[in-house]
Amino acid sequence: MKIPPVKGTRDFYPPQMAVRNWIIDGWKRVSRRNGFEEYDGPIFEYLKMYQVKSGDEIVEQLFNMTDRGGRDLAIRPEITPTLARMVNQQINSLARPIKWFSVPRLCRAERPQKGRLREFFQWNIDIIGVDSVLADAEVIFATVDFLREVGLGPSDVKVKISSRKLLGVFLSGIGVGQEKLDGIYAVLDKKGKLPADTFEELLKEQVPDKDAAGKILDFMRVDSIPEVEKLIEADSNERIAWNEVKNVLAYLEMMGVGEYCVYDPSIVRGLAYYTGIVFEVHDIVGELRAICGGGRYDNLLKDFGGPMVSATGMGMGDCVLEILLREKSLLGDSISTREIEYFVAFADNVFGSHVYRLAGELRRRGFSASFSYKPESGLSKQLKEASAQNAKKCVIIGQEFLEGRKLVIKDMGTSEQEVVGYDDFLVSLERGG
Ligand code: HAM
């Protein structure tokens, strides 16, 4: 009986695993150079964790189960609720600002499509305990820092920045009640993702008044900063929220990534907990789903029973990113699955014991070393095996060894060979190979 992999999951054979590690190593390196510390939590939590404030969309996509003790649990679809729970647990002893990152494996029962799977990896960076939009700018900067490092420039991707606060104030201004906001945000977030008529139907359910719905759509279209300036009154709550957006853009300009960033009022975000600056990164062509998304969530810690502590962060999945990197030929074929520094080959069976001894010596000194399991196969076959294993150098034990304890070192890149004494070779390894 052949059992296929589960829909929406991936098998990571060594070549795919090498790509996954390459991406994750980059995320971790960039997190560290931006001053974030790594954390992780459990892969499942109580189901109610995600029912508190993540929003209906995520709840509908949960993989949940009841354990043997009758507890309702869910596999994590995101790590932000776990982060809020963990920080709340130690809120009095953690030095602020808390700058943490994580790369959790997440599961969402989404309809699998290009860039969206049921199991994926997501880079998270979050700053907790900072009210200033400087923290929002830092999160966006670190995001761009990674994208820039892997070769994605401002002509490949755009960071679209907006504000839930600004939209919230605007909606209240046209008479939308506070209790309706979460429902409207969820619909507005789907604007670019649904066919126009389906979107309009959904919006009508939330905002039956045609005039009000029209005003909302107009608001989401004006993305020119001078135009917005003209529309926003001085000394209003809208002005306060708008100034935050302008400040974030100004900080990002100062940090040298202004070219990547634009104001885009159509960014709303699907999750319910956002309260301020929100952003998403999209490919310029706009064919793919968001590469990443995040924003400020100042009430989440309080919603989980902690004190009122402000927070901001983002999540970037590996799927869309990988598609884009492949499209732009930025992954290359050079990500190797194995790195062998020395392949120890032998010209004749009689040298077998020396091969195993030398391989052992090399590994003891921290070098990666390999040898053939088929000593009878002959030298040329072993050299082929060395190439197939991507070995940098081949150490050949042959006639020279019998005559004067000498080894032939062959550089597999240039094919150059040199003869060195066995002991000199070991000494050279001590000096770093
Ligand atoms: P999110 O928008 O739900 O936000 O997800 C962020 C990113 O995760 C997406 O832009 C996408 O790259 C990736 N992603 C989401 N769902 C899938 C999927 N089914 N398959 C592949 N990739 C996916 C959050 O999760 C927030 N918790 C992020 C955050 C952290 N906000 C503040 N801190």
Side-chain angles (χ1 to χ4, degrees), residues 230-264:
K230 274 192 249 160
L231 294 173
I232 291 182
E233 287 169 28
D235 298 327
S236 62
N237 283 338
E238 257 178 333
R239 173 60 60 182
I240 295 172
W242 173 239
N243 282 345
E244 283 184 3
V245 175
K246 285 201 302 180
N247 286 341
V248 168
L249 289 168
Y251 284 131
L252 290 165
E253 185 69 43
M254 285 180 238
M255 291 170 172
V257 294
E259 259 187 300
Y260 280 87
C261 306
V262 290
Y263 167 62
D264 187 332

Side-chain angles (χ1 to χ4, degrees), residues 78 80 108 110 117 120 122 126 269 273-274 291-292 315 317:
E78 56 162 340
T80 315
R108 294 185 190 180
E110 284 203 50
L117 295 174
F120 58 101
Q122 193 195 57
D126 289 85
R269 306 282 297 131
Y273 47 65
Y274 294 110
I291 300 164
C292 79

Side-chain angles (χ1 to χ4, degrees), residues 287-307:
E287 263 182 4
L288 303 168
R289 296 275 302 266
I291 300 164
C292 79
R296 182 162 281 277
Y297 49 101
D298 283 347
N299 297 331
L300 195 63
L301 274 78
K302 192 168 129 280
D303 289 338
F304 279 119

Side-chain angles (χ1 to χ4, degrees), residues 49-343:
M49 279 267 292
Y50 307 107
Q51 294 167 328
V52 174
K53 202 60 200 176
S54 292
D56 294 342
E57 190 174 344
I58 279 257
V59 172
E60 282 159 19
Q61 295 170 347
L62 286 174
F63 281 100
N64 51 322
M65 61 207 161
T66 308
D67 76 0
R68 283 156 203 256
R71 286 170 282 260
D72 288 326
L73 308 175
I75 299 178
R76 60 187 179 188
E78 56 162 340
I79 202 172
T80 315
T82 302
L83 171 68
R85 179 178 65 67
M86 286 170 61
V87 170
N88 272 345
Q89 239 159 246
Q90 298 194 354
I91 193 74
N92 295 322
S93 56
L94 292 171
R96 295 191 207 170
I98 296 159
K99 287 180 75 176
W100 285 2
F101 80 93
S102 193
V103 183
R105 183 193 279 259
L106 306 177
C107 291
R108 294 185 190 180
E110 284 203 50
R111 188 175 59 80
Q113 52 186 298
K114 198 175 175 191
R116 285 292 180 275
L117 295 174
R118 296 197 160 170
E119 187 195 44
F120 58 101
F121 293 86
Q122 193 195 57
W123 176 35
N124 280 254
I125 45 173
D126 289 85
I127 303 180
I128 298 179
V130 183
D131 286 334
S132 157
V133 290
L134 191 49
D136 303 81
E138 271 263 270
V139 166
I140 297 173
F141 176 82
T143 306
V144 177
D145 197 22
F146 170 78
L147 297 171
R148 188 170 53 181
E149 181 176 296
V150 293
L152 293 167
S155 56
D156 302 311
V157 290
K158 271 281 168 283
V159 185
K160 301 180 172 183
I161 301 168
S162 172
S163 165
R164 269 267 176 102
K165 199 188 274 179
L166 181 60
L167 180 59
V169 177
F170 166 78
L171 290 171
S172 305
I174 61 166
V176 175
Q178 203 66 22
E179 73 294 345
K180 297 217 89 187
L181 291 182
D182 281 356
I184 296 182
Y185 292 148
V187 172
L188 294 183
D189 176 64
K190 297 204 173 75
K191 188 165 176 281
K193 299 170 196 154
L194 292 174
D197 46 349
T198 320
F199 169 73
E200 274 160 30
E201 270 308 303
L202 286 175
L203 185 60
K204 211 161 131 193
E205 279 171 27
Q206 295 292 332
V207 188
D209 181 69
K210 245 185 157 180
D211 187 41
K215 281 185 184 156
I216 297 173
L217 294 179
D218 283 347
F219 173 89
M220 289 176 75
R221 265 192 289 266
V222 185
D223 60 3
S224 131
I225 292 180
E227 288 285 310
V228 183
E229 280 293 335
K230 274 192 249 160
L231 294 173
I232 291 182
E233 287 169 28
D235 298 327
S236 62
N237 283 338
E238 257 178 333
R239 173 60 60 182
I240 295 172
W242 173 239
N243 282 345
E244 283 184 3
V245 175
K246 285 201 302 180
N247 286 341
V248 168
L249 289 168
Y251 284 131
L252 290 165
E253 185 69 43
M254 285 180 238
M255 291 170 172
V257 294
E259 259 187 300
Y260 280 87
C261 306
V262 290
Y263 167 62
D264 187 332
S266 70
I267 298 302
V268 180
R269 306 282 297 131
L271 294 159
Y273 47 65
Y274 294 110
T275 55
I277 294 292
V278 282
F279 76 97
E280 285 179 2
V281 177
H282 288 259
D283 65 295
I284 287 279
V285 183
E287 263 182 4
L288 303 168
R289 296 275 302 266
I291 300 164
C292 79
R296 182 162 281 277
Y297 49 101
D298 283 347
N299 297 331
L300 195 63
L301 274 78
K302 192 168 129 280
D303 289 338
F304 279 119
M308 180 85 188
V309 179
S310 49
T312 179
M314 77 93 206
M316 179 188 295
D318 60 334
C319 304
V320 176
L321 175 72
E322 189 181 329
I323 294 172
L324 192 61
L325 291 172
R326 280 195 197 285
E327 277 179 7
K328 304 270 171 192
S329 306
L330 291 169
L331 273 181
D333 304 320
S334 57
I335 304 176
S336 60
T337 51
R338 175 157 44 195
E339 271 169 20
I340 296 292
E341 285 159 298
Y342 293 103
F343 189 97

